[in-house]
Amino acid sequence: MWYKAQTGVLLLFFSLCDTFAQPRFKERRVIAKYQKPAVVLYAEPIEPRAGAPQTVTAQCTDSEVIVTISPDLLGIQKPVQPSDLSMGGCGVTSPAGAQPFVIEAPLQGCGSTVEMLGALIVYTFTLDYNPSPIDGLPIVRTNPAVVQIECQYNRLHNVSSNALNPTWVPYTSTISAEDILGFSLVIMSSDWSGPSPSNTFFLGDLINLQASVDSTNHEPLRVFVDSCVATPGSNASAPAYTFIGNNGCFLDSQLTGSNSQFMSPRVAQSVMQFQLDAFRFYGLTTSSIFITCHLKVTLVSANVDPLNKDCSYNSALSQWSSVDGDNAVCSCCDTSCANPPPFRRGSGAPKHRPRRASEVSAPAGWQETISVGPLFLEQVSPLSSVSQSLSLQHDEASPGSQFQDTVLGAVVGVLAVSCVAVLFFAYRKKDIVNTKQ
C-alpha cells in the first residue's frame, strides 16, 4: 500500500513538471527590443481634422515598421477595402476580416528609401490607397490617398537587434545605410588653399581642380577621377573633349603635350588634385566651359589596378606614371584599360594573381558624376601683351627719368651761378686796380 502511494506521488510530480515545462508563449508575438512611434505625414484629402483621431499609426522596431490603418481611412464614414491598400507593393498582412488593418514591412523592403539627415538615418515608406470600383458598378466614392511614414534612427548607434561579432569592432567599420558618400569637385585657388575666388582664366593658365569624398563613418576610402569631359554648355552639347579617360588616364597631356597632370603625391587618400591646361573650343564664340567628371572610390586596403587608378603622362620621358606609385597599372593607357590582357602564369610569375580593387568586397554604388562650371576662358593677344609690357616699362622708367632730369638741371644751375660769381669778382677786382692807378 505504501509503495502504491509513493508511486502515485512520483507520477503526479512528473506530470506537473511536464506541464510547466511546455512553452507558454505559443501564438504570442515576440515583442521587439526596440520600438518607437513613426512619423506619419498625411496628405490631402485625408488630412485629419483638429481633434479627430489618427486613422494611420505606425511603430518602428529594430528591423521593421508596423502600420495600423483604420477602416475609415479617409474619415468620411466610408470604409476602405484592405485589398486597395499597399505600401511599396506590400499588402495587408493581418488576417482576413480583422480590423484595424495591419501592414508589417521590413525596413529595407516594401519600397522604402533611406537617407541621412544630420545625425539621423531616416527610412521612408509610402502608404497608397487606390480605390477599386464598387462591385458591379463603374463608379467609386472615394479618392486615392497617400500617407508618408518615416522611421527615424540615431545615426550614431547600430539599430540592429543582433550583437556585433566581434563586439569590439568600431562602428566606423560597418557600412552605413545605402553606402551614401559625399563626393565633391571644386575649382581651387592657385595655391590650393581653398576654392578659387574667380571662375575666369586665361589661356596658358593651369586650372586647379580637386575631387574628394567624405568617408565619415566608413572604412578609409581612396578616390579616383575615372573620366572628365569638357563641353561649352551645361547640357553636354557638342563639341565635347575628353581630357581624362580610359579609367583614369590623363589623355590631354599625351594628346597635346600640355602640362595637365594629377598632383603627386596625394594630400590624402580621399582627395585627388589635378591641373588642367586652360583651352578654348575652336570656332565657337562662347568662352565658357563646363567640366563633368566621373568619380569613384575603393577601399584604401585594396591595391590599385587598371580599372582603378590615376595616371599622368610625362611628355619629356614619353611614359605614364601612377599617382599611387605602381606605374605598371598605367601600361594599358595606350590601349584599353577596360579589357586588360589576361593573366598568364609562367616560371617567373607569382603563384597567386594579385587582387584588383574591383574584386575586393566593396559596395558597387561608390561612384558619382559631378559637374562644375561655367569657367570663362579669356584669350590675351600677343601684340596686346607686348604693348602692355612696353607701356608698363615706360611707366616704370618715367619716375627715374624725371629724377635724372632734376639732378642735371640742379648741376647746370649751380655751374651757371658759379660762373657768374667768378666773372663778377673778376670784374670788381679789375675796377679796383684801375681806381688805384
Side-chain angles (χ1 to χ4, degrees):
M1 186 68 181
W2 178 84
Y3 174 78
K4 291 182 179 180
Q6 187 179 28
T7 302
V9 171
L10 290 175
L11 291 175
L12 179 61
F13 174 76
F14 286 118
S15 177
L16 291 174
C17 290
D18 183 68
T19 300
F20 286 105
Q22 296 297 323
R24 301 182 59 80
F25 49 87
K26 185 178 182 180
E27 297 183 357
R28 288 176 58 189
R29 179 182 179 81
V30 178
I31 300 176
K33 297 179 181 179
Y34 176 91
Q35 283 197 355
K36 179 181 179 181
V39 178
V40 178
L41 304 175
Y42 289 90
E44 294 183 359
I46 57 172
E47 184 70 27
R49 299 180 180 87
Q54 285 191 320
T55 57
V56 177
T57 59
Q59 287 287 326
C60 303
T61 72
D62 47 20
S63 60
E64 64 179 356
V65 59
I66 304 171
V67 183
T68 304
I69 308 150
S70 170
D72 187 18
L73 171 65
L74 305 179
I76 58 175
Q77 304 302 316
K78 293 190 179 296
V80 301
Q81 298 299 317
S83 58
D84 297 336
L85 298 170
S86 67
M87 194 163 68
C90 300
V92 173
T93 56
S94 55
Q99 294 184 358
F101 310 129
V102 176
I103 298 179
E104 300 179 15
L107 289 179
Q108 298 184 5
C110 296
S112 69
T113 60
V114 62
E115 61 179 335
M116 301 289 188
L117 295 177
L120 296 177
I121 299 177
V122 180
Y123 292 87
T124 303
F125 299 83
T126 301
L127 174 64
D128 293 300
Y129 168 63
N130 294 301
S132 56
I134 299 176
D135 292 341
L137 299 175
I139 64 171
V140 293
R141 296 195 183 278
T142 54
N143 291 318
V146 175
V147 179
Q148 185 171 304
I149 300 167
E150 294 182 355
C151 285
Q152 301 179 355
Y153 299 91
N154 194 331
R155 184 181 177 185
L156 303 180
H157 300 281
N158 192 305
V159 299
S160 173
S161 61
N162 298 323
L164 295 176
N165 185 24
T167 56
W168 50 262
V169 175
Y171 179 76
T172 54
S173 69
T174 63
I175 298 175
S176 64
E178 295 296 319
D179 301 311
I180 297 176
L181 297 174
F183 288 92
S184 68
L185 180 64
V186 181
I187 304 171
M188 302 294 288
S189 61
S190 58
D191 59 357
W192 300 99
S193 60
S196 174
S198 172
N199 61 344
T200 299
F201 298 88
F202 296 91
L203 296 181
D205 287 346
L206 286 174
I207 303 172
N208 291 344
L209 294 149
Q210 178 173 291
S212 62
V213 61
D214 181 7
S215 57
T216 305
N217 291 333
H218 287 267
E219 292 185 75
L221 300 175
R222 180 185 294 124
V223 67
F224 296 97
V225 181
D226 193 63
S227 64
C228 284
V229 178
T231 56
S234 59
N235 57 352
S237 57
Y241 176 50
T242 301
F243 57 89
I244 297 178
N246 205 5
N247 299 112
C249 301
F250 217 132
L251 304 176
D252 180 67
S253 50
Q254 182 192 39
L255 296 174
T256 67
S258 69
N259 295 319
S260 300
Q261 63 175 338
F262 291 109
M263 304 303 290
S264 180
R266 294 175 182 259
V267 296
Q269 293 297 325
S270 59
V271 176
M272 173 53 69
Q273 297 176 334
F274 57 104
Q275 294 180 316
L276 174 64
D277 214 331
F279 65 90
R280 288 168 54 98
F281 283 101
Y282 176 76
L284 296 183
T285 58
T286 178
S287 64
S288 64
I289 288 180
F290 290 81
I291 295 177
T292 302
C293 294
H294 182 72
L295 311 179
K296 61 182 180 180
V297 297
T298 63
L299 301 175
V300 171
S301 57
N303 295 327
V304 294
D305 64 20
L307 300 180
N308 300 279
K309 67 184 184 307
D310 280 325
C311 298
S312 299
Y313 185 77
N314 188 322
S315 300
L317 301 177
S318 299
Q319 67 181 24
W320 293 93
S321 60
S322 170
V323 172
D324 299 296
D326 185 3
N327 295 338
V329 300
C330 303
S331 60
C332 62
C333 284
D334 292 322
T335 55
S336 174
C337 296
N339 299 297
F343 177 78
R344 294 184 176 88
R345 293 191 181 277
S347 58
K351 295 182 179 180
H352 301 285
R353 176 171 63 87
R355 294 190 303 171
R356 296 175 180 170
S358 55
E359 297 173 343
V360 179
S361 57
W366 286 2
Q367 54 187 340
E368 189 170 335
T369 300
I370 303 180
S371 297
V372 294
L375 287 72
F376 296 99
L377 277 300
E378 301 293 340
Q379 183 176 6
V380 180
S381 171
L383 294 179
S384 175
S385 299
V386 172
S387 176
Q388 291 178 4
S389 176
L390 292 177
S391 176
L392 183 61
Q393 291 177 4
H394 175 73
D395 293 341
E396 292 176 350
S398 294
S401 299
Q402 293 176 0
F403 177 75
Q404 292 176 1
D405 293 343
T406 302
V407 173
L408 181 61
V411 171
V412 171
V414 170
L415 291 176
V417 172
S418 300
C419 291
V420 171
V422 169
L423 292 175
F424 176 76
F425 284 114
Y427 180 77
R428 287 292 303 273
K429 184 175 181 181
K430 183 178 179 180
D431 288 345
I432 294 172
V433 171
N434 292 334
T435 302
K436 290 180 178 181
Q437 292 177 354

